[in-house]
Amino acid sequence: MPSLPPIDRAGFPILERRIGKGEGRPLVYLDSAATALVPERVVRAVERFYATSCANIHRGAHALAEEATDAYECAREDVARFFGVQDAGRVVLTHGATESMHLAAFGWAEHALAPGDVVAVAEDNHHANVVCWHQLARRRGVEVAWIPVDGQGRLDYAAWCAVAERGPKLVALAHQSNVLGFRQPALARIMDDARGVGACIVLDGAQAAGHEPFAFDEARVDFYALSAHKMMGLTGIGALLCSECAFARMEPVVGGGGMVERVDREGFVPAPGPAAYEAGTPAIAAAVAWREALALLGEAGLDRIAAHTRALATRAAQELRDVPGVTVLGDASLPCESLASFVVDGVHPHDVGRLLDAEGVAARAGHHCAQPLHRALGAAASVRASFAGYSCEEDVDALVAAVALMADAAGGGKRTGTRAMARQERTQP
């Protein structure tokens, strides 16, 4: 008997929607890698904040301002605790993982690196962990050296070793790719080697955060970027986790309210701690929401969530590979962690996405902000099905059934989709 999702689906009223043809299909949400669904419990936390303590932070002496400030700083502490950061003062709250990685680039690397220094960038990275290093190359004159992937999406360890011999000063890696379902087998070795040559490690944790336990201080990386909306929180807030050494050498990137201790005609003195990197009014309500989402994830258990999403994604990849005309991207010998990306012969991924939507299946179609990786895999784009702690076995059934029917139609009716059609009959009203 299939196990129940570790996160109760009843907490997501949106899953009761009916969409697709004639709005007659139950919603099958398989786009959690783009943004996770927000549970009613998180929405209620935001409503309570606005109804009782709506105010700006660090600016007023009245009760509402103090309550809002306390809620915001408690969110920082909860993020630190959730990700194993001993000192919450090394957690910078940002507008998301993209801003976090740019803060690492321009708040640390721009003045810590010199022209000609090598920045190693893994080819399986999201654009957010690629573009900022290209920008740094233009502004600072550093050299971007690629850690390529092979045709199955595995990072080329031998190629990395050649880069490592050049003594890179920074290595930009993905904790988990947002296109490949598997964890890079060489990731741990590359990080060990990077530490050995004294390189700063910037790790994009957007896809891994909320899917499995991660202890930042124990991992011995310098920067870890993440977004709340991948973790059942709201959009517009994320964090950059910083090592003690890296944080000590950071400089402010944006100036304005909240980030200064003193301003005069001669210049300014930045505020101590993370406030120096949080200019302007932050996403206070989103911070309140993130606290609630973190609490829900903790109650469900990250180990349980990891095992659940791995089982669903791996099963989806295996069954999609059995459908004639369907190619799943990435090494088939490795288990998928939370997602699977695929292409259907003769059907553009955007058309696949629209056809899936007609069957009630919401999946992502495109290059997923990972053009270099798609080129390396020989695909212009793909369709991505991604899973979360609230996903269920029936979601996999509906996905595979819809894809099989589509592939059968694209093959001129010569392919057999019997097993998939049977599943579709079970999942449709």
Side-chain angles (χ1 to χ4, degrees), residues 194-285:
R195 295 184 195 101
V197 298
C200 169
I201 300 174
V202 179
L203 195 58
D204 176 5
Q207 288 301 325
H211 282 283
E212 62 180 76
F214 179 72
F216 174 78
D217 285 347
E218 293 178 11
R220 296 188 299 129
V221 301
D222 296 283
F223 296 106
Y224 193 75
L226 58 146
S227 294
H229 74 97
K230 311 284 190 183
M231 307 172 63
M232 302 187 301
L234 304 188
T235 55
I237 191 168
L240 179 66
L241 314 183
C242 311
S243 70
E244 186 174 358
C245 179
F247 188 78
R249 297 190 64 190
M250 287 179 66
E251 295 182 3
V253 175
V254 180
M259 59 75 62
V260 293
E261 187 172 84
R262 191 192 79 244
V263 182
D264 55 33
R265 292 185 177 185
E266 284 68 45
F268 72 97
V269 176
Y277 315 104
E278 298 176 3
T281 298
I284 306 166

Side-chain angles (χ1 to χ4, degrees), residues 64-380:
L64 297 187
E66 291 178 353
E67 290 172 3
T69 298
D70 183 62
Y72 184 78
E73 292 303 329
C74 283
R76 189 193 312 277
E77 292 173 2
D78 284 357
V79 171
R81 190 177 304 111
F82 191 88
F83 289 101
V85 184
Q86 187 174 2
D87 178 9
R90 292 188 278 111
V91 174
V92 180
L93 296 179
T94 66
H95 291 98
T98 296
E99 183 184 2
S100 294
M101 283 176 277
H102 281 68
L103 180 57
F106 303 118
W108 183 88
E110 186 166 24
H111 63 267
L113 304 187
D117 283 345
V118 174
V119 173
V121 179
E123 197 168 22
D124 66 336
N125 270 313
H126 186 282
H127 291 169
N129 207 13
V130 174
V131 174
C132 60
W133 308 117
H134 281 314
Q135 291 176 307
L136 189 67
R138 293 178 182 177
R139 291 165 59 161
R140 188 64 174 148
V142 301
E143 177 190 346
V144 174
W146 284 93
I147 309 171
V149 297
D150 62 20
Q152 294 300 309
R154 287 174 173 255
L155 287 174
D156 187 332
Y157 184 73
W160 152 251
C161 289
V163 174
E165 289 178 358
R166 303 179 59 201
K169 299 299 183 182
L170 183 145
V171 182
L173 301 164
H175 195 182
Q176 180 182 317
S177 164
N178 71 326
V179 176
L180 303 166
F182 57 80
R183 179 64 46 79
Q184 286 288 352
L187 183 64
R189 281 203 296 171
I190 291 173
M191 289 200 296
D192 281 342
D193 294 345
R195 295 184 195 101
V197 298
C200 169
I201 300 174
V202 179
L203 195 58
D204 176 5
Q207 288 301 325
H211 282 283
E212 62 180 76
F214 179 72
F216 174 78
D217 285 347
E218 293 178 11
R220 296 188 299 129
V221 301
D222 296 283
F223 296 106
Y224 193 75
L226 58 146
S227 294
H229 74 97
K230 311 284 190 183
M231 307 172 63
M232 302 187 301
L234 304 188
T235 55
I237 191 168
L240 179 66
L241 314 183
C242 311
S243 70
E244 186 174 358
C245 179
F247 188 78
R249 297 190 64 190
M250 287 179 66
E251 295 182 3
V253 175
V254 180
M259 59 75 62
V260 293
E261 187 172 84
R262 191 192 79 244
V263 182
D264 55 33
R265 292 185 177 185
E266 284 68 45
F268 72 97
V269 176
Y277 315 104
E278 298 176 3
T281 298
I284 306 166
V288 171
W290 202 0
R291 289 190 70 192
E292 197 67 31
L294 292 173
L296 197 161
L297 288 168
E299 293 163 13
L302 288 180
D303 287 324
R304 288 183 62 213
I305 292 172
H308 180 72
T309 58
R310 185 180 302 117
L312 294 181
T314 299
R315 182 191 149 208
Q318 290 171 341
E319 296 196 8
L320 286 170
R321 287 190 180 98
D322 290 340
V323 177
V326 174
T327 300
V328 177
L329 303 184
D331 193 329
S333 68
L334 298 171
C336 296
E337 296 298 329
S338 62
L339 60 89
S341 298
F342 61 94
V343 294
V344 179
D345 289 351
V347 189
H348 192 281
H350 289 163
D351 293 328
V352 174
R354 284 190 286 268
L355 291 166
L356 287 176
D357 183 60
E359 298 301 322
V361 179
R364 176 75 178 268
H367 53 66
H368 319 313
C369 299
Q371 291 181 4
L373 176 56
H374 274 88
R375 291 192 190 99
L377 298 174

Side-chain angles (χ1 to χ4, degrees), residues 25-95:
R25 304 286 194 273
L27 171 63
V28 177
Y29 189 77
L30 297 180
D31 200 18
S32 295
T35 197
L37 297 178
V38 179
E40 193 171 23
R41 170 174 163 180
V42 171
V43 175
R44 286 200 303 268
V46 176
E47 291 174 344
R48 284 196 302 271
F49 170 76
Y50 278 126
T52 62
S53 304
C54 182
N56 214 324
I57 63 169
H58 299 308
R59 287 166 171 81
H62 56 80
L64 297 187
E66 291 178 353
E67 290 172 3
T69 298
D70 183 62
Y72 184 78
E73 292 303 329
C74 283
R76 189 193 312 277
E77 292 173 2
D78 284 357
V79 171
R81 190 177 304 111
F82 191 88
F83 289 101
V85 184
Q86 187 174 2
D87 178 9
R90 292 188 278 111
V91 174
V92 180
L93 296 179
T94 66
H95 291 98

